[in-house]
Amino acid sequence: MDRRTLLKAAAVGVGVGGAAGAGAAQIFKPAPAAGGVVSASRPGTAGERTVRRLSMVTSWPKNLPGLGAAADRLAALIGQLSGGELEVRVYAAGEVVGAFDVFDAVSNGAADLYHAADYYWQGKAAAYPFFTAVPFGLSAQEQLAWIEWGGGQDLWNELSAQFNIIPMMGANTGVQMGGWFKREITGLSDVRGLKMRIPGIGGEVWRALGGAAVAMPGGEIYGALQSGLIDGAEWVGPWNDFFLGFYREAPFYYGPGFHEPGAALACGVNRKVWESLRPSDQAVLRAAAQAVTAQSVGEFHHQNAAHLDVLLTQHGVQLRRFPDDLARAAGEAANDIINDIGASDGLSRRIRDSFLGARKKLNAWSTNAEGAYYQMRASAL
Amino acid sequence: MDRRTLLKAAAVGVGVGGAAGAGAAQIFKPAPAAGGVVSASRPGTAGERTVRRLSMVTSWPKNLPGLGAAADRLAALIGQLSGGELEVRVYAAGEVVGAFDVFDAVSNGAADLYHAADYYWQGKAAAYPFFTAVPFGLSAQEQLAWIEWGGGQDLWNELSAQFNIIPMMGANTGVQMGGWFKREITGLSDVRGLKMRIPGIGGEVWRALGGAAVAMPGGEIYGALQSGLIDGAEWVGPWNDFFLGFYREAPFYYGPGFHEPGAALACGVNRKVWESLRPSDQAVLRAAAQAVTAQSVGEFHHQNAAHLDVLLTQHGVQLRRFPDDLARAAGEAANDIINDIGASDGLSRRIRDSFLGARKKLNAWSTNAEGAYYQMRASAL
């Protein structure tokens, strides 16, 4: 789910509630350059206590399950944990600033917090994708390992400090699926000329394999599959994919995807706002973000499992894995892209090297522990 | 890591700090039956605020990495999030009550919270292992899915309500390893008569395979391997196993284990204490437990990956998987045990059925998503 995927999400509401923000945008008159549009901190009172109001701008359409819900829960939890002394108001994409303007809004103080995916900001700093997802990168658990225990958070702090932002993990989608296809893919050679809706870095990898990568909003995918404009399309996973009905036009469901093995979402806090918070409030923000991340890992796992079951048992979906030669070629293409990102500048290189060092060890453990366990259990049951 | 494993952990301190509690136990004079030993709630003041002091008794020896650290972090985080209004003091096993008396202490109000593994209480209610770990059960992510989103928490609440306890997840070890062996195991027939140190339900499975399951404290394992008293031993995973040096006597490291695919630890709160807390304080306890769980998933993954690397690259450890016929036979034995647990009483049956229903769907998703991803990445890199 990169910028284009998100635009598509905004366009179709991922099956719930439709497009957002059109009306709400009229309530506020955003002028990000001037700052303070959503007001960084407006003291008020509730009973005897001082209430500190904070604004959280997000990249999500209103009522988006999974990611939007995580932002809503984070805001609500900050309120609860602070005993009501912090009151976070969440703004959907387009309500006060656009989905991809939330970073600038927090960076310049127009808003206090954002909830988004940090790989949206790759244009600002090449290394941002490492903190969300890169092809053949880290799973949700592995990101918790690298970011919180393997040096990732310090590097993320250093990267975002350049933009006056304190970053923290605020959700995770878990492993995303490879996509829906009209016909089976039996080897790398089948990819040549195959038109697939796959945006971002994943699309770069697809092109390197000889395929045609197409970007389009989610609301257009179903029609494009139906008319034959595209041969396949990726979206997110069983939970989110189910609602768009791709299985009716493209019954071969390939997975897992190589492009986003666990997209970590980010909550970024304006540095001055952060420094103005009491230590207990800073602890509230960090703990709430960790708690919401744990909730989100469980929710995506539960919902994806439930919806995969429905797709397989009630809709005749054919589950397939990408052929080995395709996966190997995709791995090589991904390595080139990751190396290119690291070549941008000194900090990008340090981030890439830390990431690759962590991935090497995590890969050995995950493959031999969790991966092999799932394999053993599936055979044994 | 069941009761015997824990006793062993207490005996050797898992390589750090040694045995605990001998001195501290003299400070308090525990009399659990009388209640209030550690005092359920002693109001005090800190500046203008009222400080509520809470006691957390644990099953962990002092300074135990991983699990003990999770309890310490949970207590510290509750303090931070409450702005110092809640002050949780952590007691190591034996300081005021023994490792396996913490449940009773909280149940009868002698202590306010415990941090332990709920499968220790299998003697009180047969279904408790489902909320920690059972052979061929759920991974850490899958437990987050079942317990928080798939109905598990409601059943856990119902089970623990019988004992005046509010339960919540408070850490997770992730996948544990199968164990260290002196010789290779090439098939199920090699297990016949093989003496392995493996306690608890895992030991029951081992016996069903024809092996001899032995229980002994951790401090005795190394000597027993050296003298040939046992042929193999399981402990936890690379992080914890590393410090006990088993690799010097038993170089074949089998994994993953089938017995504990992700041991969830529990924080239990006395019901009257819980009901006396303000909603914001209840939110603090829940969020702190979730945050510490997320931290712990990352920490075990990071540390296990780092220590597996050291074992493989610096100590010539030979990594092996259990043969297919052994895994299949173990799966059958585990199913029998799980079915037996469910036959105990009505609530146990409902818990087992909820667990098995969740496992079926989670198994399909995990195998095809995360499991297949790790496999694809390992081949592609």
Side-chain angles (χ1 to χ4, degrees):
Chain A
M1 176 136 58
D2 76 347
R3 289 177 73 108
R4 292 183 195 83
T5 308
L6 197 271
L7 283 172
K8 138 220 93 174
V12 304
V14 192
V16 290
Q26 293 159 14
I27 298 169
F28 292 84
K29 295 193 189 308
V37 174
V38 195
S39 180
S41 53
R42 295 174 301 197
T45 57
E48 294 168 8
R49 285 180 163 170
T50 302
V51 175
R52 172 96 183 258
R53 294 199 176 86
L54 298 170
S55 57
M56 180 191 286
V57 290
T58 77
S59 297
W60 323 124
K62 250 200 176 357
N63 300 319
L64 181 72
L67 306 184
D72 291 338
R73 280 186 214 124
L74 177 56
L77 192 53
I78 291 169
Q80 282 183 304
L81 295 178
S82 66
E85 293 186 15
L86 295 176
E87 196 179 294
V88 181
R89 179 160 173 188
V90 180
Y91 296 90
E95 281 195 301
V96 292
V97 292
F100 303 122
D101 299 322
V102 301
F103 184 90
D104 286 344
V106 172
S107 178
N108 67 29
D112 302 320
L113 298 87
Y114 71 77
H115 195 271
D118 264 8
Y119 60 10
Y120 298 155
W121 332 126
Q122 197 181 357
K124 296 181 184 296
Y128 265 122
F130 289 118
F131 301 101
T132 309
V134 296
F136 290 94
L138 306 183
S139 69
Q141 287 184 99
E142 292 174 337
Q143 273 166 317
L144 284 168
W146 175 54
I147 291 179
E148 299 213 346
W149 301 92
Q153 186 69 54
D154 286 344
L155 292 163
W156 198 5
N157 292 346
E158 190 177 340
L159 183 64
S160 289
Q162 300 173 2
F163 304 96
N164 293 316
I165 286 170
I166 312 294
M168 51 192 84
M169 207 186 291
N172 201 305
T173 66
V175 176
Q176 299 196 11
M177 286 291 278
W180 300 86
F181 291 90
K182 289 170 166 288
R183 287 175 299 278
E184 284 196 87
I185 299 171
T186 59
L188 176 59
S189 59
D190 288 351
V191 176
R192 185 158 301 281
L194 205 65
K195 277 181 278 201
M196 179 181 185
R197 183 269 175 208
I198 178 170
I201 302 185
E204 287 181 49
V205 173
W206 191 252
R207 275 188 286 271
L209 302 183
V214 181
M216 66 176 65
E220 297 176 15
I221 296 176
Y222 187 87
L225 283 169
Q226 204 173 29
S227 71
L229 187 68
I230 54 176
D231 307 299
E234 72 80 41
W235 176 246
V236 183
W239 181 22
N240 303 107
D241 293 6
F242 173 76
F243 295 101
L244 296 187
F246 304 142
Y247 57 87
R248 288 193 291 269
E249 295 297 328
F252 297 103
Y253 197 19
Y254 277 78
F258 48 73
H259 60 309
E260 297 200 18
L265 288 311
C267 173
V269 187
N270 175 276
R271 187 174 55 80
K272 282 190 185 163
V273 171
W274 179 260
E275 287 167 357
S276 74
L277 292 171
R278 295 173 299 185
S280 63
D281 290 336
Q282 293 179 344
V284 160
L285 263 60
R286 286 208 190 281
Q290 285 180 322
V292 165
T293 298
Q295 290 169 17
S296 143
V297 166
E299 187 183 25
F300 272 95
H301 217 84
H302 169 74
Q303 293 285 8
N304 277 326
H307 287 85
L308 179 65
D309 188 64
V310 170
L311 286 166
L312 295 179
T313 60
Q314 297 174 33
H315 298 286
V317 165
Q318 302 291 310
L319 201 58
R320 294 286 187 278
R321 303 230 174 126
F322 284 127
D324 288 345
D325 61 344
L326 188 161
R328 269 196 304 277
E332 285 168 21
N335 277 341
D336 290 345
I337 292 168
I338 287 171
N339 282 328
D340 283 353
I341 293 175
S344 310
D345 57 86
L347 179 54
S348 293
R349 184 180 45 70
R350 285 192 288 126
I351 292 171
R352 177 199 62 189
D353 292 349
S354 170
F355 174 90
L356 290 178
R359 185 179 69 170
K360 186 169 186 294
K361 293 179 186 177
L362 291 166
N363 176 59
W365 170 242
S366 297
T367 306
N368 286 300
E370 196 121 354
Y373 174 71
Y374 289 139
Q375 207 174 355
M376 175 171 71
R377 185 179 64 184
S379 311
L381 289 184
Chain B
M1 175 138 54
D2 75 349
R3 288 177 73 109
R4 293 184 195 82
T5 309
L6 196 273
L7 282 173
K8 139 219 93 176
V12 305
V14 193
V16 290
Q26 296 160 12
I27 298 171
F28 293 84
K29 295 195 189 307
V37 176
V38 194
S39 179
S41 53
R42 296 175 299 198
T45 56
E48 294 166 10
R49 286 179 163 170
T50 302
V51 174
R52 173 96 182 259
R53 294 199 176 85
L54 298 170
S55 57
M56 180 191 287
V57 290
T58 77
S59 296
W60 323 124
K62 251 200 176 355
N63 300 321
L64 182 71
L67 306 185
D72 290 338
R73 280 186 212 124
L74 177 55
L77 191 53
I78 291 170
Q80 281 184 304
L81 295 177
S82 65
E85 292 186 15
L86 295 177
E87 195 179 296
V88 181
R89 178 161 173 188
V90 180
Y91 296 90
E95 280 196 304
V96 291
V97 292
F100 304 122
D101 300 321
V102 301
F103 186 89
D104 286 343
V106 172
S107 178
N108 67 28
D112 303 319
L113 300 87
Y114 71 76
H115 196 271
D118 263 9
Y119 60 9
Y120 297 155
W121 331 127
Q122 194 180 0
K124 295 181 184 295
Y128 265 122
F130 289 118
F131 301 101
T132 309
V134 296
F136 290 95
L138 307 182
S139 68
Q141 287 184 100
E142 292 174 335
Q143 273 166 318
L144 284 168
W146 175 55
I147 292 180
E148 301 214 342
W149 300 92
Q153 185 69 54
D154 286 343
L155 292 163
W156 198 5
N157 292 346
E158 191 177 339
L159 184 65
S160 290
Q162 301 173 2
F163 305 97
N164 294 316
I165 285 169
I166 312 293
M168 52 192 81
M169 207 185 293
N172 201 304
T173 66
V175 177
Q176 297 195 13
M177 285 294 274
W180 300 87
F181 291 89
K182 288 172 168 287
R183 286 174 300 278
E184 283 195 88
I185 298 171
T186 59
L188 176 59
S189 59
D190 288 351
V191 175
R192 186 158 302 279
L194 205 65
K195 277 180 278 199
M196 180 181 184
R197 183 269 173 207
I198 177 170
I201 302 184
E204 287 180 48
V205 173
W206 192 251
R207 273 188 288 270
L209 301 183
V214 182
M216 66 176 66
E220 297 176 16
I221 297 175
Y222 186 86
L225 283 169
Q226 205 173 28
S227 70
L229 186 68
I230 54 176
D231 307 300
E234 73 81 39
W235 176 245
V236 184
W239 180 22
N240 302 107
D241 294 5
F242 173 75
F243 294 101
L244 296 189
F246 303 142
Y247 57 86
R248 288 192 291 267
E249 295 295 328
F252 297 103
Y253 197 20
Y254 278 77
F258 49 74
H259 60 310
E260 299 201 18
L265 288 310
C267 173
V269 186
N270 175 275
R271 188 175 53 81
K272 282 190 186 164
V273 171
W274 180 259
E275 288 167 355
S276 74
L277 292 171
R278 295 173 299 184
S280 63
D281 290 336
Q282 294 179 345
V284 160
L285 262 61
R286 285 208 190 283
Q290 287 180 322
V292 166
T293 298
Q295 290 169 17
S296 140
V297 166
E299 186 182 25
F300 271 95
H301 216 85
H302 169 73
Q303 292 287 8
N304 277 325
H307 287 87
L308 179 65
D309 188 66
V310 170
L311 286 166
L312 295 179
T313 59
Q314 296 174 31
H315 298 285
V317 165
Q318 302 291 310
L319 201 59
R320 294 286 186 277
R321 303 231 174 124
F322 284 127
D324 288 344
D325 60 346
L326 189 161
R328 269 195 305 276
E332 286 168 24
N335 278 341
D336 291 344
I337 292 169
I338 287 171
N339 283 329
D340 284 351
I341 293 176
S344 311
D345 57 88
L347 178 55
S348 292
R349 184 180 45 71
R350 286 192 288 125
I351 292 171
R352 178 200 59 188
D353 292 349
S354 170
F355 175 89
L356 290 178
R359 185 180 68 170
K360 186 171 187 293
K361 293 179 185 178
L362 291 167
N363 177 58
W365 171 243
S366 297
T367 305
N368 286 299
E370 194 121 353
Y373 174 70
Y374 288 140
Q375 207 175 355
M376 174 170 72
R377 185 180 63 184
S379 311
L381 289 184

